Amino acid sequence: MAETIFGKIANAEVEADLVYEDDEVVAFRDLNPQAPVHVLVIPRKPIPTLNEAKSDDAELLGRLLLTAAKVAEQEGIAEQGYRTVINCNAGGGQTVYHLHVHLIGGRPLQWPPG
Ligand code: DGP
């Protein structure tokens, strides 16, 4: 797949406000935040959408969620609560085709989302 802006952030070719990184996962603040806390958690591996994730990626997908929970704790929103979202393809609102988990919190969140 063609490298996206998130691939470039993961490779440190493009700057972002990183809040966590390890060998497999990077988390950084969203450029267009929808809440006081809006962090994107991505795998370094460039999986375009959740549809392309394979059973071999199961541990990596778990790491994304565990990282979101860790960052929520770090950001002080774990107790009050937060939302994790994966948008898939255009109908799901996905605009960047490098799999990412949105971590959103720090304000009351409505359900269902739009
Ligand atoms: P989605 O619609 O689920 O594909 O979310 C993409 C998000 O990525 C959107 O909330 C805006 C954010 N975003 C797009 N480009 C950049 C960028 O260059 N840097 C950062 N930090 N966030 C970006």
Side-chain angles (χ1 to χ4, degrees), residues 29-68:
R29 294 190 197 283
D30 195 292
L31 204 58
N32 183 25
Q34 301 301 310
V37 176
H38 189 169
V39 169
L40 302 170
V41 185
I42 68 168
R44 290 191 186 276
K45 178 179 176 180
I47 302 167
T49 83
L50 191 56
N51 289 340
E52 284 77 39
K54 306 293 181 217
S55 53
D56 279 358
D57 298 314
E59 191 184 337
L60 182 57
L61 295 178
R63 274 176 182 260
L64 294 178
L65 290 178
L66 290 172
T67 300

Side-chain angles (χ1 to χ4, degrees), residues 22-103:
D22 63 27
D23 288 351
E24 294 193 81
V25 169
V26 181
F28 52 93
R29 294 190 197 283
D30 195 292
L31 204 58
N32 183 25
Q34 301 301 310
V37 176
H38 189 169
V39 169
L40 302 170
V41 185
I42 68 168
R44 290 191 186 276
K45 178 179 176 180
I47 302 167
T49 83
L50 191 56
N51 289 340
E52 284 77 39
K54 306 293 181 217
S55 53
D56 279 358
D57 298 314
E59 191 184 337
L60 182 57
L61 295 178
R63 274 176 182 260
L64 294 178
L65 290 178
L66 290 172
T67 300
K70 189 185 311 201
V71 173
E73 185 74 45
Q74 210 172 279
E75 294 288 319
I77 58 168
E79 191 71 23
Q80 71 191 72
Y82 55 87
R83 185 169 292 159
T84 53
V85 176
I86 298 175
N87 295 327
C88 184
N89 277 339
Q94 185 174 8
T95 58
V96 179
Y97 285 79
H98 182 127
L99 180 66
H100 49 282
V101 176
H102 293 259
L103 166 66

